[in-house]
Amino acid sequence: MLQEKLVLKELPNLQVPVQALNSNWFSAPFKKLDILRLDLLHPVISGNKWFKLRYNLDFAVHNGFKSVLTFGGGYSNHLIATAAAARFSGLKSIGMVRGDYSGKHKTRTLKDCEDYGMEIHYLNRDLYRQKSEPEFLKSISDKFSKPFIIPEGGAGEQGIKGAGEIARLIPAGYTHVCVSAGTGTTLAGLAGTLPENSSLLGFVPMKNGRYLKETVLKYLRAGTEKRIHWFDRWHFGGFGKYDKTLIAFMNEFYYQHQIPLDVIYTSKMMYGIRDLISEEFFGNNASVLCIHTGGLQGNISVKDKLDFKIPFRDL
Ligand SMILES: *Cc1c(COP(=O)(O)O)cnc(C)c1O
């Protein structure tokens, strides 16, 4: 069990540093390039996950639910963040996992979820695909004594509302804000709350990830979609995939900036940003903010390849 119990701080008290990225790599002709270190919020409920969960958990607590149920893969940042945040909120948690990781196949992430008290159930891929269907949701709601159900990845209205509050941590004046997108919830939240004159760049770590554009559209206020640029070029083979180039990039980034990136999301985004800089995507007057959305526990599977430690337990 993680020793430090998180004191879930209310937003006005959150202190998250904005750091300048100064190195030969990112020396571009534009005004500034900074990174918002949401990864420093908490080692487990890290980055954007806390923002997406907070209104879901508030709702569950205030409406008398005893437990929350959600969905994720065997390495899911969302699942472990939910397990920890639910525990700290006094709620039981149930995790519906895609695929069978029982017995010796249990991942470190799932073991950690169980340490936080999460009850894990495995769903085969066909069942998992029904995760948003009302009939299926009703059947699991009945089966598990009516938990509050949080959609996969913390998506949905409550998640978007919470994610939108990340904007409060962003100082004024940036022309571009960059964020990695999995379900697109964080990006949708920011699209509703960032100042109108800043562009929003969404980096999708999935192959053919542009479909997210359509998924997210229904959550956007009319007109806001125009300022979003979607990129799905830097997927490195697909979600969860990586190669030597990406690992070398993560190590070099750490060497240059002393900032750890995660192998699933933020490394691919930063790699993309570096390419965009060399392609002169940003104009001379650009002030760019990258959001470090955390997720460092996901580096467990590549920890032996990295020159830096995972700030999570003693790994
Ligand atoms: C979950 C996660 C994302 C994706 O967030 P969405 O709101 O689902 O788009 C991005 N980065 C990191 C590090 C994550 O853990």
Side-chain angles (χ1 to χ4, degrees):
M1 185 63 58
L2 199 81
Q3 287 112 13
E4 60 179 299
K5 172 171 168 169
L6 170 74
V7 181
L8 289 174
K9 290 189 185 128
E10 283 309 306
L11 264 176
N13 304 326
L14 283 179
Q15 295 281 327
V16 180
V18 173
Q19 257 173 268
L21 292 175
N22 292 316
S23 69
N24 292 338
W25 270 14
F26 289 104
S27 67
F30 50 75
K31 277 196 197 145
K32 61 178 174 181
L33 178 67
D34 293 340
I35 186 165
L36 176 71
R37 298 288 309 277
L38 292 186
D39 59 305
L40 296 175
L41 274 182
H42 186 267
V44 180
I45 315 174
S46 92
N48 54 353
K49 297 299 182 278
W50 164 228
F51 291 90
K52 293 197 287 181
L53 283 169
R54 48 174 302 164
Y55 288 113
N56 281 298
L57 294 171
D58 272 5
F59 185 92
V61 168
H62 289 122
N63 289 280
F65 287 90
K66 300 279 178 287
S67 59
V68 293
L69 179 149
T70 194
F71 301 86
Y75 301 88
S76 164
N77 293 332
H78 165 68
L79 220 50
I80 190 170
T82 303
R87 185 185 183 95
F88 298 144
S89 306
L91 293 162
K92 224 175 97 58
S93 65
I94 302 160
M96 307 302 276
V97 176
R98 181 182 62 235
D100 186 357
Y101 293 93
S102 55
K104 65 180 186 348
H105 301 293
K106 195 177 288 172
T107 61
R108 181 64 188 251
T109 303
L110 294 177
K111 283 181 198 154
D112 290 335
C113 287
E114 287 183 337
D115 276 354
Y116 281 115
M118 182 174 260
E119 183 185 314
I120 299 281
H121 295 272
Y122 301 104
L123 294 178
N124 66 38
R125 275 149 218 266
D126 285 339
L127 276 178
Y128 193 88
R129 226 170 279 129
Q130 300 177 34
K131 63 184 185 293
S132 320
E133 287 174 21
E135 236 170 78
F136 177 68
L137 291 175
K138 172 145 191 347
S139 77
I140 55 173
S141 171
D142 291 344
K143 183 167 170 196
F144 294 106
S145 316
K146 312 231 179 297
F148 179 69
I149 297 178
I150 302 174
E152 181 185 46
E157 297 296 339
Q158 313 272 14
I160 289 174
K161 179 177 163 201
E165 295 184 342
I166 294 172
R168 294 199 208 167
L169 303 173
I170 300 178
Y174 289 102
T175 56
H176 299 78
V177 173
C178 305
V179 70
S180 181
T183 59
T185 309
T186 306
L187 188 143
L190 286 168
T193 53
L194 279 177
E196 306 221 327
N197 53 2
S198 55
S199 303
L200 198 46
L201 278 53
F203 293 82
V204 190
M206 287 89 84
K207 222 185 236 177
N208 304 320
R210 291 289 176 102
Y211 69 85
L212 264 192
K213 189 177 172 175
E214 309 308 320
T215 317
V216 166
L217 203 58
K218 64 173 183 284
Y219 293 116
L220 301 179
R221 242 188 305 125
T224 42
E225 79 277 5
K226 283 203 276 304
R227 61 160 152 166
I228 303 176
H229 299 261
W230 290 95
F231 298 100
D232 61 1
R233 273 195 270 161
W234 297 284
H235 55 71
F236 289 84
F239 190 70
K241 303 265 169 44
Y242 58 88
D243 63 12
K244 278 194 188 130
T245 310
L246 189 66
I247 298 287
F249 175 80
M250 291 168 74
N251 283 329
E252 184 64 17
F253 190 89
Y254 186 77
Y255 176 74
Q256 298 273 351
H257 307 284
Q258 286 74 55
I259 298 173
L261 297 174
D262 82 295
V263 70
I264 313 283
Y265 294 100
T266 53
S267 57
K268 295 180 182 181
M269 173 183 77
M270 291 312 307
Y271 194 97
I273 291 169
R274 195 177 58 153
D275 276 356
L276 288 178
I277 291 170
S278 61
E279 292 166 13
E280 300 182 359
F281 173 89
F282 301 105
N284 289 355
N285 286 322
S287 297
V288 182
L289 182 79
C290 317
I291 302 182
H292 192 319
T293 37
L296 295 166
Q297 72 86 28
N299 284 350
I300 294 170
S301 57
V302 292
K303 70 182 169 68
D304 297 335
K305 301 181 173 67
L306 300 176
D307 297 343
F308 55 90
K309 288 197 176 301
I310 304 171
F312 176 65
R313 291 192 162 161
D314 299 320
L315 299 168

